[in-house]
Amino acid sequence: MPNLHPAWQTSSNVADTPRETLEMLEDQRRRAILALWRTIFVCIACLPVVIIPALVVLNAQPSPALPSWLPISESFRTDQNMVVTTVFGTVFAVFVALIWYLKRFGLAPKNKYLWDYKRLVFTAVCEAHFPKFKYLPQNGFSWREFDAMHLFPFDCDEFSSEDRFEGQHGATDVQFAEARAARITRNLRNKFERSFETYFKGIVFVADFHKHFHSKSRIVPRGEKVRKMGQSIAELESLEFSNAFSVWTTDQIDLRYILSTSMMERLLELSERHPLMRASFSDEKLLLLLPSKHDYFEARLYSHAASSRQIQTFINDVQSWLEIVDDLNLNTRIWSKH
Amino acid sequence: MASFLLFPFVFVGLLIYLVVWFIRVYNRLVAARNACANARSSVDVNLTKRHELIPNLVRATKGYMEHEKETLAQITTARTNAMAALGSDDSPASEAKLDVAIGQLNMRIEAYPELKADGLFRELVKNLTEVEEQISASRRTYNAYTLQINNIVQQFPTSIVAAGTGFRQAAFFEAATDSRATPKIDLFGTHA
């Protein structure tokens, strides 16, 4: 039995996961750390083995030449171009091999541990603390749905999403996931030079709205461009809200039914906590894009597998996202929608 | 010589610009007026919905509120008057009276917990709440477009177009009584 952290006995959160699983993960974690450092050490050790001979060859007197013991012709051995090409080619090949080695034997065990931790521990913790929720670490939000919201003036060129939660909070169906969307930008001077620009990273939050509505509406930060998509801009009574957001809709009356005065206030309060928030109302659902640089729902390699702190962080994160339902009063069912 | 030749082009260009600008302002006014009419008709549609809900509400409460016949009769009368006044200038005042009658019913309901727990009654109140919010949304839309028309009519130089095409300032849609002062049926102890 490995020497275990005091958290084994004290944390109630840890109790959500079978002890054998945590022991197995702790063992895996230690092996992953060992593998990571071993590969880093090997890589560092290999560098002088390659670089020093390369420098010796390039600085050979009277002119650079490959070692005489190599089974190659004399003309090739002393040809300046060949020497330089061979040296740099060898150094490059060794670098590529080291990077592959680092990824395969150093980073892969680490990633596998972090993935297994989410799959085994976070899933069990979610089940125990949020019984009406399912945590699907490998699933995310759909790229098609993300683009269909038209909350940005361009379509996404690269999209990734993970850590999906779905379930019911009170009377409201909720789904949320981490997502990242990027687009290809071209250099104005050189049109062949392209780079990826991440324009959204954060949480995509979808909740069943508590009122029936048939229109499609979008709320974007004031001054941000969007495509019209057959929608007209709405001038709302709340000056504060209008200063913070531009609102586009297919139906002005329906929009005002959705955005009651109190809903505008609540969205404003939410946007204070999540600057540059965007929202979309369609298909009787509220969809929020909440930008965040933080990587949520991730385990830490240097935290003990039984550390209650990282489990508590996970619980707090889930809880804080679910609080949006209460903040926006979505559980209030005083309208005909059940 | 060259500037003399240029003058007709500048004049025609300016004229085209003015015509396009005139058409745009006029179209904005027409669009806002139509949107106002649409919002107004939406208010009437929802008021009709509300009128249709009230007999069911009275029927649902009758069984529980035997001693409140007077209150229920007031609601029925107010509803009849509101229906008759629908679409006319008296409509806001009649609706306000109906609001007051429903508010009185709400105060009486507090004494009948069994009624508050009745499924049919709860459903009716939810529908009523929804219709009232839709009325409010339509009124807000009407007022938003009225503001747009009034801005165009009053601001220079768009006021020239408005005056030339017969557009005048429009009146805002205001409830005859302050709806915030009118007690609403609040079964759930909350307002959205």
Side-chain angles (χ1 to χ4, degrees):
Chain A
M1 166 102 46
N3 182 23
L4 297 177
H5 198 264
W8 286 117
Q9 285 79 33
T10 55
S11 169
S12 60
N13 298 326
V14 172
D16 300 328
T17 314
R19 186 175 170 136
E20 299 75 41
T21 308
L22 288 172
E23 282 173 6
M24 182 270 285
L25 284 167
E26 176 56 17
D27 191 38
Q28 189 182 346
R29 184 182 77 90
R30 287 170 186 225
R31 277 188 280 116
I33 292 174
L34 199 67
L36 181 65
W37 283 107
R38 190 172 52 219
T39 48
I40 290 172
F41 176 77
V42 168
C43 290
I44 292 170
C46 281
L47 287 179
V49 173
V50 182
I51 291 170
I52 292 170
L55 290 175
V56 168
V57 168
L58 291 174
N59 292 311
Q61 294 302 325
S63 61
L66 292 169
S68 55
W69 48 264
L70 282 174
I72 48 174
S73 67
E74 187 59 23
S75 60
F76 188 96
R77 206 173 66 79
T78 53
D79 183 314
Q80 296 304 292
N81 289 338
M82 289 302 179
V83 169
V84 173
T85 309
T86 308
V87 167
F88 278 104
T90 310
V91 171
F92 179 73
V94 170
F95 266 112
V96 170
L98 287 178
I99 288 168
W100 175 83
Y101 174 71
L102 185 67
K103 276 188 170 176
R104 173 72 181 80
F105 296 100
L107 297 176
K110 173 198 157 203
N111 293 337
K112 183 161 186 332
Y113 163 73
L114 297 177
W115 164 247
D116 284 347
Y117 196 88
K118 282 163 99 168
R119 191 171 55 85
L120 299 170
V121 180
F122 285 166
T123 309
V125 169
C126 179
E127 213 169 278
H129 288 261
F130 308 97
K132 287 186 173 177
F133 271 85
K134 240 195 291 182
Y135 172 51
L136 306 161
Q138 76 282 19
N139 289 16
F141 191 70
S142 114
W143 183 340
R144 190 178 53 78
E145 280 181 74
F146 186 86
D147 268 349
M149 291 186 286
H150 299 293
L151 287 170
F152 294 93
F154 33 74
D155 281 336
C156 181
D157 293 313
E158 192 186 73
F159 184 80
S160 60
S161 182
E162 58 171 9
D163 295 320
R164 181 185 173 98
F165 291 81
E166 55 185 42
Q168 216 177 24
H169 183 65
T172 309
D173 286 333
V174 178
Q175 296 149 31
F176 59 96
E178 265 195 312
R180 191 187 74 87
R183 66 177 183 134
I184 295 171
T185 52
R186 285 182 173 80
N187 191 331
L188 288 175
R189 287 181 187 163
N190 179 4
K191 63 179 178 179
F192 297 107
E193 197 181 309
R194 303 187 317 167
S195 57
F196 275 96
E197 180 205 354
T198 299
Y199 62 88
F200 174 75
K201 185 185 178 304
I203 297 286
V204 182
F205 186 92
V206 186
D208 183 38
F209 199 62
H210 52 355
K211 293 178 182 176
H212 289 295
F213 65 89
H214 58 265
S215 59
K216 286 184 192 295
S217 304
R218 293 173 293 165
I219 299 175
V220 295
R222 186 98 190 160
E224 296 260 340
K225 285 182 187 167
V226 281
R227 283 181 281 192
K228 278 183 89 173
M229 307 303 298
Q231 300 181 347
S232 59
I233 199 154
E235 294 296 336
L236 296 163
E237 307 89 324
S238 164
L239 266 182
E240 212 181 335
F241 192 83
S242 297
N243 287 338
F245 297 109
S246 296
V247 184
W248 294 80
T249 182
T250 53
D251 187 326
Q252 297 278 344
I253 299 175
D254 209 33
L255 170 77
R256 284 170 176 84
Y257 176 58
I258 296 166
L259 287 184
S260 61
T261 319
S262 55
M263 179 53 85
M264 282 193 274
E265 280 167 17
R266 290 190 184 108
L267 283 170
L268 262 176
E269 277 168 26
L270 190 65
S271 76
E272 277 165 22
R273 278 185 283 133
H274 302 281
L276 299 176
M277 173 192 100
R278 287 159 200 257
S280 158
F281 293 89
S282 69
D283 304 322
E284 303 208 344
K285 279 181 187 158
L286 159 65
L287 205 145
L288 294 167
L289 294 189
L290 305 156
S292 171
K293 286 177 183 164
H294 185 71
D295 212 0
Y296 292 96
F297 321 120
E298 296 298 330
R300 286 191 295 262
L301 184 64
Y302 293 101
S303 285
H304 195 281
S307 155
S308 65
R309 211 168 129 194
Q310 69 177 341
I311 294 173
Q312 194 56 50
T313 306
F314 172 82
I315 295 168
N316 293 346
D317 286 346
V318 177
Q319 191 62 50
S320 74
W321 293 114
L322 288 179
E323 274 167 17
I324 290 176
V325 173
D326 304 316
D327 293 343
L328 296 179
N329 214 8
L330 297 178
N331 273 328
T332 302
R333 301 282 157 159
I334 56 171
W335 300 272
S336 64
K337 190 168 179 180
H338 294 281
Chain B
M1 184 66 183
S3 61
F4 175 73
L5 283 173
L6 210 61
F7 180 74
F9 291 104
V10 173
F11 181 75
V12 171
L14 202 66
L15 201 67
I16 291 171
Y17 176 80
L18 281 173
V19 169
V20 170
W21 174 79
F22 185 93
I23 292 170
R24 285 190 63 174
V25 174
Y26 178 72
N27 284 348
R28 267 173 63 201
L29 278 165
V30 172
R33 186 176 61 189
N34 290 344
C36 265
N38 179 42
R40 177 71 218 213
S41 109
S42 173
V43 171
D44 287 348
V45 166
N46 285 307
L47 285 174
T48 310
K49 270 193 207 169
R50 184 161 89 139
H51 298 156
E52 283 166 1
L53 277 172
I54 287 169
N56 296 333
L57 190 74
V58 170
R59 220 170 292 135
T61 49
K62 227 174 213 172
Y64 294 94
M65 301 173 80
E66 279 296 319
H67 308 292
E68 308 290 351
K69 280 181 182 158
E70 199 186 325
T71 311
L72 296 176
Q74 272 176 7
I75 292 180
T76 310
T77 313
R79 179 220 175 221
T80 311
N81 294 338
M83 280 179 77
L86 192 65
S88 71
D89 291 344
D90 296 336
S91 181
S94 305
E95 291 300 332
K97 280 180 189 162
L98 183 58
D99 277 346
V100 172
I102 293 174
Q104 280 172 351
L105 174 71
N106 180 38
M107 284 190 282
R108 301 279 194 278
I109 281 167
E110 291 302 319
Y112 299 91
E114 321 85 66
L115 173 62
K116 285 178 84 172
D118 182 277
L120 175 66
F121 179 74
R122 289 174 77 90
E123 206 55 41
L124 282 166
V125 170
K126 281 183 176 188
N127 285 327
L128 200 62
T129 311
E130 194 165 277
V131 168
E132 274 168 4
E133 290 211 5
Q134 277 164 352
I135 293 169
S136 162
S138 305
R139 280 179 179 155
R140 285 165 60 205
T141 311
Y142 180 90
N143 286 343
Y145 282 112
T146 302
L147 179 70
Q148 202 174 319
I149 291 175
N150 290 351
N151 282 343
I152 297 174
V153 168
Q154 289 173 18
Q155 283 170 356
F156 184 81
T158 51
S159 56
I160 300 167
V161 181
T165 50
F167 274 91
R168 288 188 185 157
Q169 274 195 67
F172 287 101
F173 199 124
E174 282 171 36
T177 55
D178 185 356
S179 61
R180 281 167 296 186
T182 311
K184 296 263 165 57
I185 296 180
D186 185 16
L187 285 181
F188 312 96
T190 178
H191 285 292

